[in-house]
Structure formats: structure tokens, C-alpha cells
Amino acid sequence: MGVPAGAPGTVAVAGTLEPFLGPLTGIVIDAAIFVAVVAATYVLYKAAVTPLVQRVFDRQGLDEHARRPLQKIVAFLVLFAGVTVAFGAAGYQGVLRSLATIAAAATLAVGFALQDVIKNFVAGVFIYTDKPFRIGDWIEWQGNSGIVEDISFRVTRVRTFDNELLTVPNHALTSDVVKNPVAKKTLRLKFVFGIDYEDDVEKATDIIVEEAEKSDAILDDPAPSVRLTELADSYVGLQSRIWIDDPSRADFVKARADYVKAVKARFDEEGISIPFPQRTVSGRNEWTDPSSFGGES
């Protein structure tokens, strides 16, 4: 590799070193240029790129678990760019073209072989940027539910409420509907109380609201409400709507259970019944043609 033309400083250095290195002068200078450019890239990354990236992360409010993999990606891109520039500055254009050809072929092969990995990686980027859920959130998807324990660029790990650990490909969480009940600060719960047709609807409604107002776990604003939503075969359905604060699944289950238990106790005290399904079977009082049922007598 010869010394690049039009670089007086490089030519002067080559003239100084040539008596000592002889025919190796050009090779040594090219290698020194390559190393110098790579080192300069590293210094630039540490001094300028890293603080800039950190400011961007702070502005976006990214969590620590999201910063680390993104920082690695930025470091790889900067290093790759620095090595590319170093090849050109050192006069290794032939090597650079060869590497580019090999990299293109390798990228194509790897792309076909790792389609699922790439798909999950892209989905992981969307999870980090869109933030549909965070570590510690309770999520539900495709009939599954649990608490998010870890999010990586390929998979998300979810601990179910049966204490099973699910490793979920990120693509499965971005290609379908994911419910995050704890994304907001409050959660509305609904429960239908069935009362007998002969019971007083207004009295039952008052009891349901009163028990909600007594509960410390249920918010006063938004206020509890009750709506008559169903006239079923054996009961009148009164749907209670209540709100709880800072929900987790444990809070949600306990608050609803305590509330329903309290309403049931008040119903028993006030003589309001919760009916069970009943069926009335009617038939003939006398058999006029018994032979049609049991054959000839």
C-alpha cells in the first residue's frame, strides 16, 4: 500500500522513516494511519457521542434496562463507521471493497437465516420506544397474563400468577392486542349482582353504593355507580362500577372480593335474595295413551 498522494506531512514522515524501515515504510505508515483513525473514533465516541446519547436518553425518559442495549448499538455503529473511514484513510480501498462484498453477502445469508430473530429484534425496539408496558406491569395477551420481569430486544419474560415464567417473543406482543390494566393510575372494576324479581331494586342499589363508599380501597372520585343492565330468566342484574387507585392484580382481586363479600352480607341482613337458576317443568296430569310411552300393556 503506497503513501497517499497529496499528503505532504505523510510524505515527510515517510522520508524520515525510509532509511530505517526501507521497503516496509509504506506498510508501517498505512497501519499507523489506520490505528490513529480508529483511536480518534474511540476518543470522539467517549468525549462527544456518549454525552449526546445520554442527553437524548434523558429527554426521552428511558429506563436503565432500555439504555444499555441502545448504548451498545450506538457504540457498534460508531466503531463500524470509524473502521470504515480508517480503511479508506490508510489506503486499504481494495480491502474495504472486499469486506463490503463479503459483508453484503453475509448480511443476505444471515437475514434469511435469522428472520425470526430480526423480527423480534425490531419488535423489541418498538416496545422500548412505544412503552406499551414496563417491568413490573401486569399485562394480558392471547389468553395469558402475568407480571413483566424483564424486557430484552428479542424476548420479554413474564411471571404468571401461578409463578410460571413465560419467555415470550417480542413479535407476539407487538402483533396482537396487549392489555395493560395498570398503565394508568386508576382502574375501573365491574360486577353484576343478581337479585330476585320480587326484591326492591332501589334498596339493593343503595346498599351496593353504600358498601362501595365504606371501602378504603374504592375511590370516591370517580364515584361508585350502579346500573340495571339485565333482566335474566331468574334474576334482575345490577351492574356495579367502582374505581381503585394504583392497581396491581393483587389489589384488584382483594378489593373486589372484599367488596362483593360486604354487599352479600348486607343483602342477607336486609332480606334481599340472590336467586339461583330455576326451571319449571309442566306436563299432563293424566296419561291418555300410555301405550305410546311404554308399549302395549
Side-chain angles (χ1 to χ4, degrees):
M1 308 285 178
V3 177
T10 304
V11 173
V13 172
T16 303
L17 295 177
E18 191 167 4
F20 302 97
L21 300 176
L24 298 177
T25 302
I27 298 175
V28 172
I29 292 178
D30 289 345
I33 292 173
F34 178 84
V35 173
V37 173
V38 173
T41 301
Y42 178 78
V43 172
L44 178 65
Y45 169 74
K46 286 294 186 181
V49 177
T50 298
L52 177 62
V53 170
Q54 292 297 335
R55 284 197 295 271
V56 172
F57 289 167
D58 292 338
R59 189 177 300 116
Q60 296 296 323
L62 291 180
D63 297 330
E64 184 61 29
H65 78 274
R67 293 174 181 248
R68 287 196 295 268
L70 291 176
Q71 188 75 40
K72 291 179 181 179
I73 292 175
V74 172
F76 172 79
L77 293 176
V78 172
L79 179 61
F80 180 80
V83 170
T84 302
V85 172
F87 273 119
Y92 297 153
Q93 285 85 356
V95 177
L96 189 60
R97 283 192 294 269
S98 299
L99 289 177
T101 303
I102 295 172
T107 301
L108 183 62
V110 170
F112 280 114
L114 301 178
Q115 291 183 59
D116 289 339
V117 174
I118 295 173
K119 181 169 59 177
N120 288 318
F121 175 83
V122 173
V125 172
F126 283 126
I127 290 175
Y128 279 115
T129 55
D130 296 341
K131 301 177 184 176
F133 50 81
R134 297 172 178 269
I135 291 177
D137 282 0
W138 154 33
I139 63 172
E140 298 178 357
W141 79 102
Q142 297 178 357
N144 300 297
S145 62
I147 304 298
V148 178
E149 287 199 346
D150 182 57
I151 304 172
S152 68
F153 275 114
R154 192 179 66 84
V155 297
T156 296
R157 292 176 176 83
V158 180
R159 179 74 62 179
T160 70
F161 300 111
D162 294 328
N163 203 34
E164 299 170 332
L165 183 63
L166 303 182
T167 300
V168 188
N170 286 332
H171 178 67
L173 298 177
T174 57
S175 61
D176 205 344
V177 176
V178 175
K179 182 165 73 173
N180 186 349
V182 297
K184 302 299 182 181
K185 292 184 178 180
T186 58
L187 174 67
R188 188 179 75 173
L189 305 179
K190 295 185 291 184
F191 189 87
V192 176
F193 294 94
I195 65 173
D196 195 278
Y197 271 90
E198 297 179 358
D199 289 329
D200 188 336
V201 172
E202 294 300 327
K203 183 178 180 181
T205 299
D206 291 341
I207 291 174
I208 294 171
V209 172
E210 288 171 7
E211 292 304 317
E213 292 173 343
K214 291 179 183 178
S215 174
D216 294 333
I218 298 174
L219 296 175
D220 295 328
D221 185 20
S225 63
V226 179
R227 298 289 184 272
L228 196 159
T229 58
E230 191 175 0
L231 296 176
D233 292 340
S234 57
Y235 68 88
V236 176
L238 300 178
Q239 185 184 79
S240 172
R241 302 179 183 184
I242 58 175
W243 295 80
I244 63 173
D245 193 18
D246 292 329
S248 69
R249 191 176 191 278
D251 296 336
F252 145 63
V253 172
K254 185 177 187 303
R256 187 175 69 175
D258 292 344
Y259 171 55
V260 172
K261 188 187 300 182
V263 172
K264 173 64 168 61
R266 279 290 305 279
F267 278 2
D268 292 342
E269 292 176 5
E270 302 292 339
I272 295 177
S273 59
I274 299 178
F276 51 87
Q278 300 182 32
R279 295 291 183 269
T280 300
V281 179
S282 62
R284 300 176 181 179
N285 293 327
E286 297 179 0
W287 296 114
T288 59
D289 187 11
S291 60
S292 62
F293 295 92
E296 294 183 0
S297 55

PDB file of all heavy atoms in Angstrom, residues 174-191:
ATOM      1  N   THR A 174     -46.246  -7.469  19.920  1.00  0.00           N
ATOM      2  CA  THR A 174     -46.473  -6.273  19.100  1.00  0.00           C
ATOM      3  C   THR A 174     -47.401  -6.547  17.928  1.00  0.00           C
ATOM      4  O   THR A 174     -47.871  -5.599  17.291  1.00  0.00           O
ATOM      5  CB  THR A 174     -45.138  -5.729  18.554  1.00  0.00           C
ATOM      6  OG1 THR A 174     -44.465  -6.755  17.808  1.00  0.00           O
ATOM      7  CG2 THR A 174     -44.246  -5.255  19.690  1.00  0.00           C
ATOM      8  N   SER A 175     -47.671  -7.819  17.639  1.00  0.00           N
ATOM      9  CA  SER A 175     -48.535  -8.159  16.507  1.00  0.00           C
ATOM     10  C   SER A 175     -49.959  -8.452  16.944  1.00  0.00           C
ATOM     11  O   SER A 175     -50.805  -8.766  16.116  1.00  0.00           O
ATOM     12  CB  SER A 175     -47.976  -9.379  15.759  1.00  0.00           C
ATOM     13  OG  SER A 175     -47.909 -10.513  16.598  1.00  0.00           O
ATOM     14  N   ASP A 176     -50.238  -8.387  18.239  1.00  0.00           N
ATOM     15  CA  ASP A 176     -51.577  -8.670  18.739  1.00  0.00           C
ATOM     16  C   ASP A 176     -51.915  -7.645  19.821  1.00  0.00           C
ATOM     17  O   ASP A 176     -51.069  -6.836  20.222  1.00  0.00           O
ATOM     18  CB  ASP A 176     -51.647 -10.088  19.317  1.00  0.00           C
ATOM     19  CG  ASP A 176     -53.062 -10.656  19.301  1.00  0.00           C
ATOM     20  OD1 ASP A 176     -54.005  -9.850  19.143  1.00  0.00           O
ATOM     21  OD2 ASP A 176     -53.230 -11.876  19.445  1.00  0.00           O
ATOM     22  N   VAL A 177     -53.140  -7.700  20.294  1.00  0.00           N
ATOM     23  CA  VAL A 177     -53.591  -6.764  21.324  1.00  0.00           C
ATOM     24  C   VAL A 177     -53.014  -7.180  22.678  1.00  0.00           C
ATOM     25  O   VAL A 177     -53.138  -8.338  23.088  1.00  0.00           O
ATOM     26  CB  VAL A 177     -55.130  -6.731  21.394  1.00  0.00           C
ATOM     27  CG1 VAL A 177     -55.587  -5.838  22.545  1.00  0.00           C
ATOM     28  CG2 VAL A 177     -55.711  -6.238  20.072  1.00  0.00           C
ATOM     29  N   VAL A 178     -52.366  -6.244  23.365  1.00  0.00           N
ATOM     30  CA  VAL A 178     -51.864  -6.467  24.714  1.00  0.00           C
ATOM     31  C   VAL A 178     -52.600  -5.515  25.651  1.00  0.00           C
ATOM     32  O   VAL A 178     -52.597  -4.300  25.437  1.00  0.00           O
ATOM     33  CB  VAL A 178     -50.342  -6.215  24.800  1.00  0.00           C
ATOM     34  CG1 VAL A 178     -49.863  -6.336  26.241  1.00  0.00           C
ATOM     35  CG2 VAL A 178     -49.591  -7.198  23.917  1.00  0.00           C
ATOM     36  N   LYS A 179     -53.243  -6.078  26.666  1.00  0.00           N
ATOM     37  CA  LYS A 179     -53.957  -5.241  27.635  1.00  0.00           C
ATOM     38  C   LYS A 179     -53.060  -4.978  28.830  1.00  0.00           C
ATOM     39  O   LYS A 179     -52.494  -5.897  29.408  1.00  0.00           O
ATOM     40  CB  LYS A 179     -55.254  -5.921  28.080  1.00  0.00           C
ATOM     41  CG  LYS A 179     -56.061  -5.067  29.049  1.00  0.00           C
ATOM     42  CD  LYS A 179     -57.481  -5.565  29.214  1.00  0.00           C
ATOM     43  CE  LYS A 179     -57.549  -6.826  30.015  1.00  0.00           C
ATOM     44  NZ  LYS A 179     -58.935  -7.247  30.322  1.00  0.00           N
ATOM     45  N   ASN A 180     -52.934  -3.706  29.174  1.00  0.00           N
ATOM     46  CA  ASN A 180     -52.138  -3.297  30.328  1.00  0.00           C
ATOM     47  C   ASN A 180     -53.071  -2.614  31.330  1.00  0.00           C
ATOM     48  O   ASN A 180     -53.262  -1.402  31.278  1.00  0.00           O
ATOM     49  CB  ASN A 180     -51.024  -2.346  29.903  1.00  0.00           C
ATOM     50  CG  ASN A 180     -50.078  -2.005  31.044  1.00  0.00           C
ATOM     51  OD1 ASN A 180     -50.361  -2.307  32.192  1.00  0.00           O
ATOM     52  ND2 ASN A 180     -48.965  -1.376  30.725  1.00  0.00           N
ATOM     53  N   PRO A 181     -53.682  -3.373  32.243  1.00  0.00           N
ATOM     54  CA  PRO A 181     -54.655  -2.775  33.166  1.00  0.00           C
ATOM     55  C   PRO A 181     -54.065  -1.740  34.108  1.00  0.00           C
ATOM     56  O   PRO A 181     -54.806  -0.936  34.677  1.00  0.00           O
ATOM     57  CB  PRO A 181     -55.185  -3.983  33.955  1.00  0.00           C
ATOM     58  CG  PRO A 181     -54.859  -5.181  33.103  1.00  0.00           C
ATOM     59  CD  PRO A 181     -53.578  -4.825  32.413  1.00  0.00           C
ATOM     60  N   VAL A 182     -52.738  -1.763  34.313  1.00  0.00           N
ATOM     61  CA  VAL A 182     -52.126  -0.854  35.283  1.00  0.00           C
ATOM     62  C   VAL A 182     -51.366   0.279  34.602  1.00  0.00           C
ATOM     63  O   VAL A 182     -50.535   0.939  35.219  1.00  0.00           O
ATOM     64  CB  VAL A 182     -51.181  -1.628  36.230  1.00  0.00           C
ATOM     65  CG1 VAL A 182     -51.950  -2.640  37.035  1.00  0.00           C
ATOM     66  CG2 VAL A 182     -50.060  -2.318  35.447  1.00  0.00           C
ATOM     67  N   ALA A 183     -51.640   0.517  33.315  1.00  0.00           N
ATOM     68  CA  ALA A 183     -50.941   1.580  32.610  1.00  0.00           C
ATOM     69  C   ALA A 183     -51.303   2.955  33.154  1.00  0.00           C
ATOM     70  O   ALA A 183     -50.498   3.883  33.122  1.00  0.00           O
ATOM     71  CB  ALA A 183     -51.250   1.512  31.111  1.00  0.00           C
ATOM     72  N   LYS A 184     -52.528   3.094  33.631  1.00  0.00           N
ATOM     73  CA  LYS A 184     -52.974   4.360  34.204  1.00  0.00           C
ATOM     74  C   LYS A 184     -53.036   4.232  35.731  1.00  0.00           C
ATOM     75  O   LYS A 184     -52.890   3.162  36.299  1.00  0.00           O
ATOM     76  CB  LYS A 184     -54.344   4.745  33.646  1.00  0.00           C
ATOM     77  CG  LYS A 184     -54.367   4.856  32.123  1.00  0.00           C
ATOM     78  CD  LYS A 184     -53.413   5.912  31.610  1.00  0.00           C
ATOM     79  CE  LYS A 184     -53.472   6.038  30.105  1.00  0.00           C
ATOM     80  NZ  LYS A 184     -52.522   7.047  29.581  1.00  0.00           N
ATOM     81  N   LYS A 185     -53.293   5.354  36.386  1.00  0.00           N
ATOM     82  CA  LYS A 185     -53.264   5.361  37.846  1.00  0.00           C
ATOM     83  C   LYS A 185     -54.512   4.765  38.476  1.00  0.00           C
ATOM     84  O   LYS A 185     -54.515   4.454  39.666  1.00  0.00           O
ATOM     85  CB  LYS A 185     -53.066   6.800  38.348  1.00  0.00           C
ATOM     86  CG  LYS A 185     -51.692   7.373  38.020  1.00  0.00           C
ATOM     87  CD  LYS A 185     -51.532   8.759  38.618  1.00  0.00           C
ATOM     88  CE  LYS A 185     -50.135   9.301  38.333  1.00  0.00           C
ATOM     89  NZ  LYS A 185     -49.945  10.659  38.908  1.00  0.00           N
ATOM     90  N   THR A 186     -55.583   4.657  37.716  1.00  0.00           N
ATOM     91  CA  THR A 186     -56.820   4.108  38.265  1.00  0.00           C
ATOM     92  C   THR A 186     -57.338   3.000  37.359  1.00  0.00           C
ATOM     93  O   THR A 186     -57.028   2.957  36.175  1.00  0.00           O
ATOM     94  CB  THR A 186     -57.901   5.197  38.402  1.00  0.00           C
ATOM     95  OG1 THR A 186     -58.142   5.796  37.124  1.00  0.00           O
ATOM     96  CG2 THR A 186     -57.471   6.270  39.392  1.00  0.00           C
ATOM     97  N   LEU A 187     -58.151   2.117  37.943  1.00  0.00           N
ATOM     98  CA  LEU A 187     -58.728   1.001  37.199  1.00  0.00           C
ATOM     99  C   LEU A 187     -60.194   0.860  37.592  1.00  0.00           C
ATOM    100  O   LEU A 187     -60.531   0.872  38.779  1.00  0.00           O
ATOM    101  CB  LEU A 187     -57.985  -0.296  37.522  1.00  0.00           C
ATOM    102  CG  LEU A 187     -58.566  -1.589  36.922  1.00  0.00           C
ATOM    103  CD1 LEU A 187     -58.441  -1.583  35.406  1.00  0.00           C
ATOM    104  CD2 LEU A 187     -57.865  -2.814  37.508  1.00  0.00           C
ATOM    105  N   ARG A 188     -61.072   0.742  36.582  1.00  0.00           N
ATOM    106  CA  ARG A 188     -62.485   0.548  36.871  1.00  0.00           C
ATOM    107  C   ARG A 188     -62.812  -0.940  36.889  1.00  0.00           C
ATOM    108  O   ARG A 188     -62.415  -1.686  35.999  1.00  0.00           O
ATOM    109  CB  ARG A 188     -63.353   1.244  35.816  1.00  0.00           C
ATOM    110  CG  ARG A 188     -64.829   1.227  36.191  1.00  0.00           C
ATOM    111  CD  ARG A 188     -65.683   1.936  35.171  1.00  0.00           C
ATOM    112  NE  ARG A 188     -65.866   1.133  33.960  1.00  0.00           N
ATOM    113  CZ  ARG A 188     -66.691   1.472  32.966  1.00  0.00           C
ATOM    114  NH1 ARG A 188     -67.369   2.601  33.038  1.00  0.00           N
ATOM    115  NH2 ARG A 188     -66.796   0.690  31.904  1.00  0.00           N
ATOM    116  N   LEU A 189     -63.547  -1.356  37.917  1.00  0.00           N
ATOM    117  CA  LEU A 189     -63.991  -2.741  38.050  1.00  0.00           C
ATOM    118  C   LEU A 189     -65.509  -2.783  37.908  1.00  0.00           C
ATOM    119  O   LEU A 189     -66.214  -1.866  38.347  1.00  0.00           O
ATOM    120  CB  LEU A 189     -63.592  -3.310  39.412  1.00  0.00           C
ATOM    121  CG  LEU A 189     -62.110  -3.242  39.778  1.00  0.00           C
ATOM    122  CD1 LEU A 189     -61.903  -3.821  41.173  1.00  0.00           C
ATOM    123  CD2 LEU A 189     -61.269  -3.980  38.762  1.00  0.00           C
ATOM    124  N   LYS A 190     -66.025  -3.856  37.319  1.00  0.00           N
ATOM    125  CA  LYS A 190     -67.459  -4.037  37.159  1.00  0.00           C
ATOM    126  C   LYS A 190     -67.854  -5.401  37.722  1.00  0.00           C
ATOM    127  O   LYS A 190     -67.127  -6.379  37.558  1.00  0.00           O
ATOM    128  CB  LYS A 190     -67.853  -3.943  35.680  1.00  0.00           C
ATOM    129  CG  LYS A 190     -67.621  -2.575  35.068  1.00  0.00           C
ATOM    130  CD  LYS A 190     -68.137  -2.487  33.647  1.00  0.00           C
ATOM    131  CE  LYS A 190     -67.314  -3.336  32.694  1.00  0.00           C
ATOM    132  NZ  LYS A 190     -67.755  -3.174  31.289  1.00  0.00           N
ATOM    133  N   PHE A 191     -69.002  -5.428  38.388  1.00  0.00           N
ATOM    134  CA  PHE A 191     -69.506  -6.691  38.923  1.00  0.00           C
ATOM    135  C   PHE A 191     -71.029  -6.637  38.905  1.00  0.00           C
ATOM    136  O   PHE A 191     -71.630  -5.623  39.302  1.00  0.00           O
ATOM    137  CB  PHE A 191     -69.015  -6.924  40.352  1.00  0.00           C
ATOM    138  CG  PHE A 191     -69.331  -8.293  40.867  1.00  0.00           C
ATOM    139  CD1 PHE A 191     -68.467  -9.350  40.636  1.00  0.00           C
ATOM    140  CD2 PHE A 191     -70.502  -8.557  41.569  1.00  0.00           C
ATOM    141  CE1 PHE A 191     -68.745 -10.630  41.086  1.00  0.00           C
ATOM    142  CE2 PHE A 191     -70.795  -9.810  42.036  1.00  0.00           C
ATOM    143  CZ  PHE A 191     -69.921 -10.863  41.787  1.00  0.00           C
TER     144      PHE A 191
END
